[in-house]
Structures are given as structure tokens and as C-alpha cells.
């Protein structure tokens, strides 16, 4: 938010925002939260199935951190919506697929531990850079959530990059497997920096993060670790995006039918 | 050592336990004590990690974010408890890998209740309320068992588990006070989990082979039948509070004994499940063996990396 | 797997807050010291139990043999003059 003239001011109180501003803010929050929601869900699927008890417990910790963040964001988004019927749970469970704004990267399946770690690694680097900027947001709530989350995500990054080194520079089998995961998931990295309309509006207001400024340092961060891990940095020029606009991969429908099962089967009940 | 010397040591050993002294890993202990402890502690550890599976089945479908994080944290705790218990077992001179092999080959047992399927969300409530309730009754006395590492692990387990049963009861309470559909779901879960929970406290005293020795070593403080009665006595009023009916027509308060009388337990079903023919024995074992096999390359990679790093350190020191 | 080495066992010591000593919390498996630290953080401090962690590979610990407890520890038992209660002082002497 260095380029913004409103840097030193707090953003408008909710009551003074126009419909459009509120809508943009609402969508902006969902865009951040949905990444944590879907990645947390993916990690939750693995609870009890990890390569060792210790690693299992570590993965669940990351999932719990992410869901904790999701709840803070959604509770704030519910407030921003100005609609009493909107809650953290309606936001998590009652939207249709096209309304979820997470990037394609986080919905990719738990193919094996290599894919799980690479997905985490590619997201953590972005997540950390993003939160460090979001902490400077003129929106006090977002700034506070970011401040708390940075500590969690710093650990996620430490955990995933350590594992990248172990798998990359481990055995020939692990090297091959993790290289394949890096090569496969690479095409989802560019979308992290893609900006939607809500993003741009929020950047202009000093609330949102100008992710285009994070791109170089992101690729430097992950390339350094990959190099240390004796892995090749993919040269692929073809990238996929769409998640932020709600155009997801085919995996997404299954994630949602699983996640939303109770809410859809038994509407309007409390649990 | 002569037979007489061993006998002498055994007497000293039993006297120490009778005085409430703790036995620590490097202390001399009768071979039978070691073996019995490996068997019981590892069974306990296996139960924790197999027990992650039926509840893990609902993590992705938990009906609210609040329920989801609570369930995740609970299942994660079970992994932690398995870990503490495996560690306690390892002090007896057996590795976690060997213990896994015993589990995976079917040689080792785990609590048979985890071989029942979790078919509705209410099962998360019933498991927390009934299964954890029965487990706590079993576990609290173990905090003062004679083997130090086991006792210490149990102190930690019991401390952490205190939220598990409350979590389950809260789920039941919400359902019991919810819509008719929800209440029916809760009743159905109680119907399915009640009898297996009673069985979980072990065969009747007449059929229990290890009771006497285990009592001496403080691996057990009460008999299975006493524990079962205690569980029933404390659970019936809770079911009343929920407005749910325990599926036992013979259940009634006995003024004379000051306990509830209850109906016959279907022990044939119990032994069938113990012998590997429960509804989910196969699935549970496949899940455990599968995770272990799929993780092999990961564990090997970490070890290979550690060795390389160590070697590099040596080279850089030498130069 | 059987032909490969397994993750060794580590002993975990946690300081629950500054001012207190590190205390033995339990053990776990890890391939190296860094992983042992991370695993210890994830396994043993989930409920804010600690502010500092030590990890030691279990095989590096040398323990006394309980069979030698007689010669190691019993000789200290009758050296009561090391304890303040050994010395008789009149009640009027305060703060000593």
C-alpha cells in the first residue's frame, strides 16, 4: 500500500460506506478467506492418514490455523454484508460453486505427500508475503487478522520449505516425486497474483494488497528453496487461472458436496 | 541368575508395587510384567490411532466451522495420545515400528468399538459422550498405575481428554433440543452405540483372564463389571437430561443395590468383532496399513536427507 | 522400509515459562534435530505449554543403572549435617 495517498488514514467505518464499497470489501474478504477454507479442508481430509504420527499432527495444526483465520474473516464479512442472515457458516457452507473465490492451487487434490507439501509450499510463500502487506491495510480488522495470522503462516512456511528440502534432497524416489509435483502445480502459481475488480478497488482504497508487487520476491523465495533442495525450477509459461472468478477445476464440486453435505441435506438447522 | 535369585527379586519387586512405589524403565522387572505392559500399553496406543478413523470420517462434513475445528482438534489429540502411549511402550525395549507391525499383521488388538461405522453426524456426539465416557472411566485409575512412563502418559492423556466428552455431549444436546429429525438422529446414534460402549469395558469378570494379575500391578483398579456398572450409573441420568431413551427394556433403578439393573449383553457380537469380523475391521486395518505404506518413501527421504546433512557437516569440519 | 533406517527417538524438554527449568515432557520420532524441534512444537505445545524446547536424541543420554543405586545414592542418606535441621539453635535466633 505504499503507493496510496490514504495510507495514514483508517478506512471508512462500515456505516459510512456506499453499497458498492461494502460489496467490494465483502468480496475482497471472501477472496482471502476462501483460500484458507479450501486448503484447510484439503488438509483436514488427511487427518489420520499421514506418513507418521508426528507429521499427521503437524498437518492438522496447519489446518486448524487456517480454519481459525477463516472464521475471523467470515465473521467480519458477515458484519460487512449488513445482512443478519449471513453468518460464518452460511458463507462457508451455503454458497454455490461459482461464488467461491479461492485460487485453483488450493483445491488441487492430496495426490500424495509430495503434492500436499508442494501445494502448501507454493501457497505459504504467497500467503506470508500477502499477510505482511495486509497488516498495513487501512482496514483495522483486516490488519489485526493479518497480524495474528503472520505468526501462524511463518511457521507453515518453515514447515513446508523444510519438507521441500528433505524430499528434494532425500532419496532418488522422493526427488522424482516432488519434482513432478512442483512441475505439475507450477501452472497454478501465476493466479495468486491475478487481480479481480474487487482487488483493484480495494487497492485503490488502501485496504487491499497490491499483489503485483509481490510477484518477483515470491518467485525468488520459492526458487531459492527449490535450488537448495536440488530441484529444477519449472520454465513453464502456461498458467491457469479462474478460481478467483469462481471458475474452478472439476475437483471443486466434490470438495463442496462433501463440505456442504450436512447444510444441504438438512437446511436451516443448527448443529 | 538362579531360579531362587529371580524369585527373590520378584518378591522385592511385588513389595515395591504394594508400597505404591513406581517402576521405572531401567529397573529390574519380571519378564511377565514387561510383556503384559507392552501388550496393554500398545493396545491402548493402537486404539487411539485406529480410533481416529471413525471420527476422521466426518471432519470433511462437519456441519459448522465451530464443530469442524473442535472435531479436528479432538482427532488430532487422539494422534497425540497414541504417540504418548507408543513412547511409553518404547521404554520397555520395543520400537514403534515393531508395534506397528504387530498392529498391521493383526497380531495386536485394539478396542473393538472402532470397528463400527459412523453413519450420521450424531455419531460424533455419541462417540464423544459414550465412547469417551467409557474410556475415561477406564483411564483415570491408570494415572496411578505402577509403571512410571505409563502413569505419566495417562496423566497427560486424561488432562487433554477432558474436553472430548464435553464436546460429544454438547453435540447430543444440540440435536436432542433441535428439530424432530435431529432428535431422531440422536436417538438412533444412542441406539447403535449404547451396547458396543458397554462391551468396550471388557468381558465379564468370569471370562476376563488378566484381572487378578493386573489388579496387583495396578494396571486395573476395578473389575470390568464394576467399571461397567459405574458407567451405566453415571450415563443413565445424562440420557434423561437429553430426553433420549437408552435402548434397554430391562434397564431400571434398583433401590436395594443402589445401582441400575440392565439387560443381557450380546457377547457373541463382541467376540465376533474382536475376532476381526466387525462391520469395519477390514476398512480400519486397510486405512492404517495404507497410510503407513504410502508414507514409506517420505520417511525414507527424511532419513536420507538427515544423513546427507550430517555427512556434509563432517566434511566441512574436516577441511 | 525394513532395509532402511527408521527415524530415531528424541527426548523432549520444555520450559513452560521463563523462570522455570526445562522439564522432560516425553519423546517422539524425527529424522533430525530440526524436525525433532518442529515435531515437539506440534506435539507437546498445542495448548500453550511452552516457551522453549530442547531436543536430545535418546541414544545420546547416559543413564545411571538402578542396580547401582545403593552405592550411588544411599551414602548421602546419613549425611544429615548437610541439612539445616541438623543444627540446634535457640528459638530466639530469628532469620537463620
Amino acid at each position: 500500500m505504499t503507493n496510496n495517498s490514504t495510507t495514514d488514514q483508517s478506512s471508512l467505518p462500515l456505516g459510512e460506506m456506499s453499497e458498492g464499497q461494502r460489496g467490494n470489501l465483502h468480496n475482497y474478504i471472501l477472496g482471502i478467506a476462501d483460500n484458507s477454507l479450501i486448503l484447510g479442508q484439503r488438509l483436514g481430509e488427511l487427518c489420520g492418514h499421514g506418513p507418521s504420527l508426528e507429521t499427521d499432527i503437524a498437518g492438522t495444526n496447519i489446518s486448524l490455523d487456517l480454519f481459525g483465520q477463516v472464521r475471523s474473516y467470515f465473521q467480519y464479512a458477515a458484519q460487512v454484508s449488513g445482512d443478519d442472515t449471513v453468518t460464518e457458516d452460511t458463507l462457508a457452507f451455503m454458497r454455490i460453486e461459482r461464488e467461491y473465490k479461492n485460487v485453483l492451487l488450493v483445491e488441487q487434490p492430496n495426490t500424495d505427500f509430495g503434492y500436499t507439501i508442494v501445494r502448501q509450499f507454493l501457497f505459504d510463500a504467497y500467503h506470508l508475503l500477502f499477510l505482511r502487506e495486509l497488516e498495513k491495510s487501512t482496514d483495522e480488522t483486516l490488519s489485526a487478522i493479518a497480524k495474528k495470522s503472520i505468526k501462524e503462516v511463518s511457521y507453515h512456511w518453515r514447515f513446508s520449505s523444510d519438507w521441500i528440502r528433505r524430499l528434494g534432497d532425500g532419496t532418488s524416489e522422493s526427488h522424482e516425486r516432488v519434482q513432478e509435483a512442483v512441475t505439475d502445480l507450477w501452472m497454478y502459481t501465476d493466479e495468486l497474483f491475478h487481480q479481480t475488480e474487487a482487488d483493484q478497488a480495494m487497492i485503490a482504497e488502501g485496504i487491499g494488497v497490491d499483489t503485483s508487487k509481490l510477484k518477483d520476491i515470491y518467485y525468488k523465495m520459492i526458487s531459492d528453496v527449490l535450488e537448495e533442495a536440488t530441484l529444477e525450477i519449472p520454465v513453464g509459461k502456461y498458467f491457469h487461472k479462474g478460481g478467483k472468478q469462481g471458475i474452478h477445476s472439476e475437483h471443486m464440486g466434490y470438495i463442496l458436496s462433501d463440505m456442504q453435505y450436512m447444510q444441504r441435506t438438512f437446511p436451516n438447522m443448527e448443529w | 541368575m538362579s531360579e531362587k535369585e529371580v524369585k527373590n527379586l520378584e518378591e522385592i519387586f511385588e513389595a515395591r508395587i504394594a508400597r505404591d512405589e513406581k517402576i521405572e524403565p531401567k529397573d529390574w522387572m519380571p519378564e511377565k510384567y514387561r510383556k503384559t505392559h507392552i501388550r496393554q500399553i500398545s493396545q491402548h496406543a493402537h486404539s487411539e490411532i485406529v480410533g481416529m478413523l471413525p471420527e476422521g470420517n466426518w471432519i470433511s462434513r462437519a456441519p459448522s466451522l465451530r464443530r469442524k475445528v473442535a472435531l479436528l482438534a479432538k482427532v488430532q489429540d487422539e494422534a497425540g495420545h497414541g504417540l504418548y502411549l507408543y513412547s511409553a511402550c518404547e521404554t520397555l525395549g520395543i520400537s514403534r515400528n515393531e508395534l506397528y507391525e504387530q498392529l498391521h499383521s493383526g497380531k495386536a488388538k485394539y478396542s473393538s468399538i472402532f470397528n463400527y461405522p459412523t453413519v450420521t453426524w450424531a455419531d460424533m456426539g455419541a462417540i464423544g459422550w459414550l465412547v469417551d465416557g467409557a474410556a475415561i472411566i477406564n483411564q483415570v485409575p491408570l494415572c496411578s498405575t505402577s509403571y512410571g512412563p505409563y502413569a505419566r502418559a495417562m496423566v497427560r492423556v486424561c488432562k487433554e481428554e477432558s474436553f472430548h466428552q464435553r464436546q460429544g455431549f454438547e453435540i447430543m444436546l444440540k440435536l436432542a433440543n433441535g428439530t424432530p429429525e435431529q432428535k431422531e438422529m440422536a436417538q438412533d446414534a444412542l441406539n447403535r452405540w449404547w451396547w458396543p460402549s458397554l462391551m468396550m469395558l471388557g468381558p465379564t469378570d468370569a471370562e476376563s483372564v488378566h484381572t487378578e494379575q493386573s489388579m496387583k500391578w495396578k494396571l486395573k483398579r476395578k473389575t470390568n463389571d464394576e467399571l461397567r456398572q459405574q458407567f451405566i450409573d453415571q450415563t443413565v441420568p445424562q440420557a434423561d437430561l437429553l430426553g433420549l431413551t437408552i435402548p434397554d427394556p430391562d434397564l431400571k433403578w434398583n433401590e436395594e443395590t443402589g445401582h441400575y439393573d440392565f439387560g443381557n449383553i450380546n457377547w457373541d457380537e463382541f467376540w465376533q468383532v474382536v475376532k476381526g469380523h466387525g462391520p469395519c475391521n477390514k476398512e480400519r486395518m486397510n486405512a492404517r496399513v495404507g497410510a503407513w505404506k504410502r508414507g514409506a518413501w517420505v520417511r525414507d527421504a527424511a532419513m536420507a536427507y538427515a544423513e546427507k546433512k550430517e555427512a556434509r557437516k563432517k566434511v566441512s569440519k574436516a577441511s | 522400509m525394513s532395509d532402511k533406517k527408521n527415524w530415531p527417538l528424541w527426548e523432549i524438554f520444555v520450559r513452560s515459562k521463563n523462570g522455570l527449568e526445562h522439564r522432560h515432557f516425553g519423546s517422539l520420532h524425527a529424522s533430525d534435530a530440526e524436525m525433532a524441534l518442529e515435531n515437539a512444537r506440534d506435539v507437546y505445545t498445542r495448548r500453550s505449554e511452552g516457551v522453549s524446547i530442547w531436543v536430545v536424541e535418546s541414544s545420546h543420554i547416559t543413564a545411571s543403572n538402578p542396580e547401582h543405586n545403593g552405592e550411588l545414592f544411599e551414602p548421602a542418606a546419613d549425611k544429615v549435617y548437610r541439612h539445616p535441621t541438623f543444627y540446634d539453635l535457640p528459638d530466639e535466633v530469628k532469620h537463620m
Side-chain angles (χ1 to χ4, degrees):
Chain A
M1 266 131 301
T2 42
N3 66 336
N4 200 287
S5 57
T6 59
T7 301
D8 296 331
Q9 298 166 8
S10 290
S11 56
L12 283 176
L14 287 181
E16 291 171 30
M17 281 185 192
S18 70
E19 277 294 296
Q21 281 173 312
R22 266 175 182 260
N24 278 335
L25 179 58
H26 183 74
N27 283 335
Y28 188 69
I29 303 168
L30 296 187
I32 306 170
D34 286 348
N35 286 336
S36 294
L37 175 70
I38 300 302
L39 187 56
Q41 177 76 2
R42 276 297 193 208
L43 290 172
E45 292 170 11
L46 289 172
C47 181
H49 307 276
S52 79
L53 266 183
E54 287 83 354
T55 322
D56 205 305
I57 292 170
T60 305
N61 268 348
I62 297 179
S63 179
L64 282 167
D65 284 342
L66 292 171
F67 281 123
Q69 295 165 14
V70 168
R71 296 188 67 189
S72 304
Y73 287 127
F74 279 171
Q75 283 162 14
Y76 183 41
Q79 211 185 317
V80 171
S81 77
D83 177 347
D84 289 347
T85 64
V86 176
T87 67
E88 59 171 34
D89 287 328
T90 61
L91 290 172
F93 300 104
M94 295 305 286
R95 282 180 286 157
I96 58 166
E97 182 172 332
R98 291 285 272 107
E99 292 168 336
Y100 285 84
K101 303 176 197 309
N102 57 282
V103 292
L104 298 174
L105 176 66
V106 296
E107 66 199 48
Q108 298 309 306
N110 302 318
T111 309
D112 68 7
F113 189 75
Y115 276 81
T116 303
I117 283 296
V118 171
R119 183 184 62 203
Q120 194 65 38
F121 168 72
L122 294 175
F123 182 71
D124 288 343
Y126 162 80
H127 200 188
L128 187 56
L129 293 172
F130 176 84
L131 289 171
R132 281 183 187 152
E133 290 306 311
L134 189 65
E135 193 188 354
K136 302 176 199 157
S137 170
T138 55
D139 184 298
E140 283 170 18
T141 310
L142 287 180
S143 167
I145 299 172
K147 192 172 175 194
K148 180 176 169 288
S149 307
I150 285 171
K151 290 176 191 155
E152 297 170 340
V153 175
S154 300
Y155 185 76
H156 303 172
W157 165 248
R158 171 179 168 160
F159 179 84
S160 61
S161 50
D162 274 356
W163 268 107
I164 291 288
R165 290 186 194 95
R166 285 187 196 110
L167 299 179
D169 197 14
T171 63
S172 54
E173 182 185 0
S174 71
H175 179 89
E176 241 172 75
R177 278 175 177 261
V178 78
Q179 181 68 63
E180 188 191 309
V182 170
T183 310
D184 267 12
L185 295 175
W186 193 259
M187 60 185 165
Y188 302 113
T189 52
D190 191 62
E191 189 192 9
L192 293 163
F193 306 98
H194 173 72
Q195 291 177 354
T196 63
E197 265 175 49
D199 290 342
Q200 280 160 1
M202 286 299 104
I203 295 166
E205 302 235 8
I207 294 173
V209 175
D210 186 354
T211 48
S212 64
K213 296 210 169 96
L214 304 177
K215 201 166 169 173
D216 288 347
I217 174 162
Y218 170 82
Y219 282 109
K220 169 97 173 60
M221 235 170 122
I222 50 178
S223 300
D224 285 351
V225 177
L226 292 177
E227 224 165 89
E228 241 187 285
T230 72
L231 291 165
E232 269 175 47
I233 296 148
V235 285
K237 288 190 283 265
Y238 300 101
F239 294 98
H240 291 286
K241 60 175 194 287
K244 285 187 174 179
Q245 277 89 14
I247 303 166
H248 293 278
S249 64
E250 289 181 353
H251 303 297
M252 189 67 177
Y254 292 95
I255 296 177
L256 294 183
S257 50
D258 201 19
M259 191 169 81
Q260 299 182 336
Y261 165 72
M262 290 296 291
Q263 300 281 347
R264 297 293 183 197
T265 314
F266 307 97
N268 305 319
M269 294 185 203
E270 285 189 33
W271 303 94
Chain B
M1 246 185 286
S2 73
E3 229 172 87
K4 199 177 157 207
E5 280 171 312
V6 172
K7 191 132 184 25
N8 196 19
L9 281 173
E10 274 177 15
E11 273 167 26
I12 297 171
F13 180 84
E14 298 294 347
R16 287 182 65 193
I17 293 183
R19 281 197 304 272
D20 257 340
E21 274 183 45
K22 297 285 182 213
I23 307 302
E24 293 296 344
K26 288 180 75 105
D27 291 347
W28 183 87
M29 59 185 79
E31 203 40 37
K32 197 172 166 216
Y33 181 88
R34 183 189 304 277
K35 285 210 171 113
T36 304
H37 275 76
I38 289 178
R39 195 189 62 235
Q40 175 162 336
I41 301 171
S42 67
Q43 269 183 20
H44 196 163
H46 298 327
S47 299
E48 293 282 354
I49 63 161
V50 176
M52 295 171 75
L53 300 167
E55 287 174 287
N57 185 33
W58 280 86
I59 289 171
S60 65
R61 289 176 290 173
S64 71
L65 291 173
R66 181 173 178 273
R67 293 286 177 220
K68 196 189 280 285
V69 291
L71 186 62
L72 255 173
K74 180 182 186 239
V75 179
Q76 183 194 43
D77 270 354
E78 282 155 11
H81 298 168
L83 193 155
Y84 308 154
L85 289 161
Y86 282 124
S87 297
C89 209
E90 284 185 272
T91 63
L92 290 161
I94 188 164
S95 71
R96 196 196 289 176
N97 277 49
E98 288 171 283
L99 295 169
Y100 275 169
E101 271 164 34
Q102 293 179 358
L103 173 69
H104 296 166
S105 67
K107 200 179 138 207
K109 298 268 175 278
Y110 56 88
S111 188
S112 59
I113 197 148
F114 301 119
N115 291 315
Y116 290 87
T118 51
V119 294
T120 72
W121 170 250
D123 291 13
M124 298 305 99
I127 289 181
W129 173 37
L130 301 173
V131 178
D132 287 283
I136 290 167
I137 282 186
N138 242 332
Q139 288 171 353
V140 169
L142 287 172
C143 295
S144 55
T145 189
S146 67
Y147 188 55
Y150 192 24
R152 289 192 288 276
M154 288 317 300
V155 168
R156 189 173 289 277
V157 168
C158 287
K159 218 161 106 188
E160 296 188 352
E161 279 214 345
S162 51
F163 98 81
H164 294 185
Q165 199 191 9
R166 294 172 71 105
Q167 181 254 174
F169 193 78
E170 199 196 74
I171 290 174
M172 292 305 270
L173 196 62
K174 197 85 184 174
L175 294 174
N177 295 328
T179 64
E181 222 172 345
Q182 285 174 307
K183 189 163 182 181
E184 197 182 311
M185 194 189 278
Q187 180 64 55
D188 168 62
L190 172 57
N191 293 349
R192 283 180 290 107
W193 291 95
W194 174 253
W195 292 105
S197 299
L198 296 190
M199 294 175 200
M200 186 184 160
L201 292 155
T204 54
D205 296 348
E207 290 202 45
S208 181
V209 278
H210 306 299
T211 297
E212 201 188 329
Q213 181 69 82
S214 296
M215 289 277 200
K216 241 202 235 158
W217 288 337
K218 298 174 183 171
L219 270 172
K220 237 181 196 311
R221 313 304 290 253
K222 289 180 181 172
T223 70
N224 293 349
D225 287 336
E226 284 169 337
L227 292 172
R228 196 165 9 250
Q229 189 67 57
Q230 183 188 338
F231 173 71
I232 293 170
D233 290 348
Q234 78 177 40
T235 309
V236 175
Q238 294 167 356
D240 290 342
L241 196 84
L242 291 171
L244 298 177
T245 311
I246 287 176
D248 178 357
D250 297 324
L251 186 82
K252 65 169 188 293
W253 179 250
N254 184 328
E255 206 60 65
E256 242 166 75
T257 60
H259 295 291
Y260 282 92
D261 292 336
F262 55 98
N264 287 329
I265 294 172
N266 181 355
W267 290 111
D268 288 343
E269 178 184 319
F270 174 75
W271 290 114
Q272 179 180 334
V273 181
V274 170
K275 286 180 182 144
H277 308 291
C280 296
N281 293 59
K282 265 218 174 92
E283 284 89 337
R284 301 297 183 238
M285 228 11 70
N286 287 346
R288 291 271 34 105
V289 174
W292 186 244
K293 280 191 180 157
R294 281 192 303 276
W297 70 271
V298 177
R299 297 190 300 274
D300 289 347
M303 214 51 236
Y305 175 76
E307 280 165 3
K308 278 189 206 172
K309 219 171 45 172
E310 197 58 32
R312 275 179 219 143
K313 227 194 270 172
K314 276 188 190 139
V315 170
S316 72
K317 257 188 199 160
S319 59
Chain C
M1 186 64 207
S2 51
D3 55 328
K4 299 263 175 56
K5 270 171 94 181
N6 296 317
W7 292 2
L9 192 67
W10 298 74
E11 300 302 322
I12 310 303
F13 300 82
V14 178
R15 185 202 295 289
S16 51
K17 63 175 186 186
N18 276 9
L20 296 179
E21 70 278 60
H22 285 77
R23 200 166 61 76
H24 185 235
F25 259 47
S27 50
L28 49 74
H29 288 271
S31 59
D32 55 32
E34 282 74 32
M35 195 205 277
L37 266 182
E38 291 175 9
N39 288 351
R41 178 263 192 193
D42 284 317
V43 171
Y44 288 106
T45 66
R46 301 201 299 286
R47 290 175 167 84
S48 314
E49 291 97 334
V51 295
S52 165
I53 301 173
W54 290 346
V55 299
V56 185
E57 201 173 328
S58 309
S59 62
H60 291 167
I61 290 182
T62 309
S64 65
N65 185 337
E67 278 171 34
H68 302 153
N69 276 11
E71 62 199 66
L72 287 176
F73 308 117
E74 278 173 33
D78 66 350
K79 312 295 193 289
V80 286
Y81 43 79
R82 288 200 174 100
H83 301 281
T85 47
F86 177 71
Y87 301 94
D88 292 325
L89 292 185
D91 290 346
E92 296 83 69
V93 184
K94 300 218 161 94
H95 308 297
M96 192 176 284

Coordinates of all heavy atoms in Angstrom, one line a residue, chain A residues 52 54-55 57-58 61 155 158 162-163 166, chain C residues 7 28-29 32 35 38-39 41-43 46:
Chain A
S52 N 3.6 -40.2 9.2 CA 4.0 -40.6 10.5 C 3.0 -39.9 11.5 O 2.4 -38.9 11.1 CB 5.4 -40.2 10.8 OG 5.5 -38.8 11.1
E54 N 3.7 -38.0 13.9 CA 4.2 -36.6 14.2 C 3.8 -35.7 13.0 O 3.4 -34.6 13.2 CB 5.7 -36.6 14.3 CG 6.3 -37.2 15.6 CD 6.4 -38.7 15.7 OE1 5.9 -39.3 14.7 OE2 6.9 -39.2 16.6
T55 N 4.0 -36.2 11.8 CA 3.6 -35.4 10.6 C 2.1 -35.2 10.5 O 1.7 -34.1 10.1 CB 4.2 -36.1 9.3 OG1 5.4 -36.7 9.6 CG2 4.3 -35.1 8.2
I57 N 0.1 -34.9 13.0 CA -0.3 -33.9 14.0 C 0.1 -32.5 13.5 O -0.7 -31.5 13.6 CB 0.4 -34.2 15.3 CG1 -0.2 -35.5 15.9 CG2 0.3 -33.0 16.3 CD1 0.6 -36.0 17.1
A58 N 1.2 -32.4 12.8 CA 1.7 -31.1 12.3 C 0.7 -30.6 11.2 O 0.4 -29.5 11.2 CB 3.1 -31.3 11.7
N61 N -2.4 -29.3 12.6 CA -2.2 -27.9 13.2 C -2.3 -26.8 12.1 O -2.9 -25.8 12.4 CB -0.8 -27.8 13.8 CG -0.8 -28.2 15.3 OD1 -1.9 -28.3 15.9 ND2 0.4 -28.4 15.9
Y155 N 5.2 -20.1 10.4 CA 5.5 -21.5 10.8 C 5.2 -22.4 9.6 O 5.9 -23.4 9.3 CB 4.8 -21.9 12.1 CG 5.3 -23.3 12.5 CD1 6.5 -23.5 13.1 CD2 4.5 -24.4 12.2 CE1 6.9 -24.8 13.4 CE2 4.9 -25.7 12.6 CZ 6.1 -25.9 13.2 OH 6.6 -27.1 13.5
R158 N 7.9 -22.3 7.2 CA 9.1 -23.0 7.7 C 8.9 -24.5 7.6 O 9.8 -25.3 7.1 CB 9.3 -22.7 9.2 CG 10.3 -23.5 9.9 CD 10.4 -23.0 11.3 NE 11.2 -24.0 12.1 CZ 11.8 -23.7 13.3 NH1 11.7 -22.5 13.8 NH2 12.5 -24.7 13.9
D162 N 11.0 -26.7 4.8 CA 11.9 -27.8 5.3 C 11.6 -29.1 4.7 O 12.5 -29.9 4.3 CB 11.7 -27.9 6.8 CG 12.5 -27.0 7.6 OD1 13.3 -26.2 7.0 OD2 12.4 -26.9 8.9
W163 N 10.3 -29.4 4.5 CA 10.0 -30.7 3.8 C 10.4 -30.7 2.4 O 10.7 -31.7 1.8 CB 8.5 -31.0 4.0 CG 8.2 -31.8 5.2 CD1 7.7 -31.4 6.4 CD2 8.6 -33.2 5.4 NE1 7.6 -32.4 7.3 CE2 8.2 -33.5 6.7 CE3 9.2 -34.2 4.6 CZ2 8.4 -34.8 7.2 CZ3 9.4 -35.4 5.1 CH2 9.0 -35.8 6.4
R166 N 13.9 -31.7 2.4 CA 14.0 -33.1 2.7 C 13.7 -34.0 1.5 O 14.4 -35.0 1.2 CB 13.1 -33.5 3.9 CG 13.6 -33.0 5.2 CD 12.8 -33.6 6.3 NE 13.1 -32.8 7.5 CZ 12.2 -32.0 8.1 NH1 11.0 -31.8 7.6 NH2 12.6 -31.3 9.1
Chain C
W7 N 13.3 -43.4 11.7 CA 13.5 -42.1 12.4 C 13.9 -42.4 13.9 O 13.2 -43.2 14.6 CB 12.3 -41.3 12.4 CG 11.9 -40.7 11.1 CD1 12.6 -41.0 9.9 CD2 10.8 -39.9 10.8 NE1 11.9 -40.3 8.9 CE2 10.8 -39.6 9.4 CE3 9.8 -39.3 11.5 CZ2 9.9 -38.8 8.7 CZ3 8.9 -38.5 10.9 CH2 8.9 -38.3 9.5
L28 N 9.5 -38.5 21.1 CA 8.9 -38.6 19.7 C 10.0 -39.0 18.7 O 11.2 -39.1 19.0 CB 8.3 -37.3 19.3 CG 9.1 -36.0 19.4 CD1 10.1 -35.9 18.3 CD2 8.1 -34.8 19.3
H29 N 9.5 -39.3 17.5 CA 10.5 -39.7 16.5 C 10.7 -38.6 15.5 O 9.7 -37.8 15.2 CB 9.9 -40.9 15.7 CG 10.0 -42.2 16.5 ND1 11.1 -43.0 16.5 CD2 9.1 -42.7 17.4 CE1 10.9 -44.0 17.3 NE2 9.7 -43.9 17.9
D32 N 15.8 -35.7 12.1 CA 17.0 -34.9 12.5 C 16.5 -33.9 13.6 O 15.3 -33.8 13.9 CB 17.6 -34.2 11.3 CG 16.7 -33.3 10.5 OD1 15.7 -32.8 11.1 OD2 16.8 -33.2 9.3
M35 N 13.7 -31.4 12.7 CA 12.4 -31.9 12.6 C 12.0 -32.3 14.1 O 10.8 -32.2 14.4 CB 12.4 -33.2 11.8 CG 11.0 -33.6 11.4 SD 10.8 -35.4 11.0 CE 11.4 -35.4 9.4
E38 N 10.5 -29.2 15.5 CA 9.2 -28.9 14.9 C 8.1 -29.8 15.4 O 7.0 -29.4 15.8 CB 9.3 -28.8 13.4 CG 10.1 -27.7 12.9 CD 10.3 -27.7 11.3 OE1 9.7 -28.5 10.7 OE2 11.1 -26.9 10.9
N39 N 8.5 -31.1 15.4 CA 7.5 -32.1 15.9 C 7.2 -31.9 17.4 O 6.0 -32.0 17.8 CB 8.1 -33.5 15.7 CG 8.1 -34.0 14.3 OD1 7.6 -33.3 13.4 ND2 8.7 -35.1 14.0
R41 N 7.2 -29.0 18.9 CA 6.3 -27.9 18.9 C 4.9 -28.3 18.6 O 3.9 -27.9 19.3 CB 6.8 -26.9 17.9 CG 6.0 -25.6 17.8 CD 5.1 -25.7 16.6 NE 4.5 -24.4 16.3 CZ 3.4 -24.3 15.5 NH1 2.9 -25.3 14.9 NH2 2.9 -23.1 15.2
D42 N 4.7 -29.2 17.6 CA 3.4 -29.6 17.2 C 2.8 -30.6 18.2 O 1.5 -30.6 18.4 CB 3.4 -30.2 15.8 CG 3.6 -29.1 14.7 OD1 2.9 -28.0 14.9 OD2 4.4 -29.2 13.8
V43 N 3.6 -31.4 18.8 CA 3.0 -32.5 19.6 C 2.8 -32.0 21.1 O 1.8 -32.3 21.7 CB 3.9 -33.7 19.6 CG1 3.5 -34.7 20.6 CG2 3.9 -34.4 18.2
R46 N 0.7 -27.8 22.0 CA -0.5 -27.5 21.3 C -1.4 -26.6 22.2 O -2.3 -25.9 21.7 CB -1.3 -28.7 20.9 CG -0.6 -29.7 20.0 CD -1.6 -30.6 19.2 NE -2.4 -31.4 20.1 CZ -1.9 -32.5 20.7 NH1 -0.7 -32.8 20.6 NH2 -2.7 -33.2 21.5

